[in-house]
Amino acid sequence: MNHLAHLFLSQRDPSLMVGNFIADHIKTTKLSSFSEGVQDGILMHRAIDHFTDTHPIVRKSKERLFPKYSHYSAVLVDMFYDHILAKNWSTYSPISLKSFSESVYRVLKSRTTEMPERSVLILDYMSRQDWLTSYGTIEGMGKALNGISRRATFKSKMEEAIVDLERDFSMYEAEFTPFFAALFEFAMNWEAPSK
């Protein structure tokens, strides 16, 4: 899953949110340098990723994209699923996506001293351009996919994936809905392993 889903699933605790946000930039050997709550968030992020990457529904979504996008298909499914979550936000949350996004930016900005430099930089871009809210529109997703494509190490064609998303949206949405219900239950019942 991408930023929006991770932050949504960890919103019950600010430290979990911080850990989920920075997890991709933290090596396991550096885990102990963070507070227990942030460590739990990092571990939760990894548990969510493992659940997602090994789920048969997600595999089906990836397989549709794999012939054209190869290993980038996993990144695209994460992005597509965040778009579907944002587009159907009122199904999952009683507050608006805009209000949720603003709240997340406030929480994360208040904890930047606990983040690696790369995460702080991403947060700055994310909040200024309001990535989380923009995930709900095709235009916003197009910009996000173009940005990821520019930063990709190899030619990814991800800037073309917006066509796939629009054309096959109903299929991705039909896959996302039962998957996210299972992921939500997993995340709500997740407990940090005893240290």
Side-chain angles (χ1 to χ4, degrees), residues 21-131:
F21 180 66
I22 68 173
D24 286 336
H25 307 134
I26 306 301
K27 293 180 179 175
T28 302
T29 54
K30 301 289 186 186
L31 198 60
S32 61
S33 61
F34 295 92
S35 69
E36 191 169 317
V38 173
Q39 286 183 51
D40 289 348
I42 294 166
L43 295 173
M44 182 187 189
H45 178 110
R46 292 174 182 173
I48 288 169
D49 280 355
H50 179 74
F51 182 92
T52 301
D53 293 341
T54 58
H55 200 284
I57 291 177
V58 176
R59 281 203 197 110
K60 190 175 176 184
S61 291
K62 288 180 194 173
E63 283 166 7
R64 190 176 298 113
L65 293 162
F66 192 84
K68 183 174 181 181
Y69 301 102
S70 187
H71 66 279
Y72 291 109
S73 59
V75 176
L76 290 172
V77 170
D78 285 348
M79 294 297 292
F80 286 9
Y81 280 14
D82 256 18
H83 171 65
I84 296 163
L85 173 60
K87 199 168 172 58
N88 295 287
W89 186 257
S90 62
T91 302
Y92 302 101
S93 177
I95 65 168
S96 71
L97 178 56
K98 184 73 174 171
S99 296
F100 173 80
S101 301
E102 289 170 352
S103 172
V104 165
Y105 301 144
R106 275 195 304 274
V107 169
L108 294 179
K109 284 179 178 180
S110 73
R111 307 279 295 267
T112 52
T113 56
E114 300 168 70
M115 297 180 187
E117 191 176 325
R118 187 162 177 216
S119 298
V120 175
L121 190 62
I122 288 170
L123 175 59
D124 182 53
Y125 285 123
M126 178 188 280
S127 58
R128 278 194 291 116
Q129 297 172 11
D130 192 11
W131 289 0

Side-chain angles (χ1 to χ4, degrees), residues 123-183:
L123 175 59
D124 182 53
Y125 285 123
M126 178 188 280
S127 58
R128 278 194 291 116
Q129 297 172 11
D130 192 11
W131 289 0
L132 299 180
T133 305
S134 73
Y135 286 162
T137 67
I138 283 293
E139 294 77 20
M141 282 303 298
K143 284 182 185 175
L145 291 170
N146 279 329
I148 294 170
S149 182
R150 281 195 309 272
R151 294 189 297 275
T153 310
F154 302 104
K155 179 69 177 160
S156 68
K157 300 182 187 170
M158 281 190 284
E159 72 281 2
E160 300 172 17
I162 200 71
V163 175
D164 299 85
L165 175 60
E166 288 190 279
R167 184 190 62 232
D168 298 329
F169 179 82
S170 60
M171 284 190 274
Y172 290 110
E173 187 175 43
E175 289 161 358
F176 170 84
T177 303
F179 163 71
F180 197 70
L183 178 61

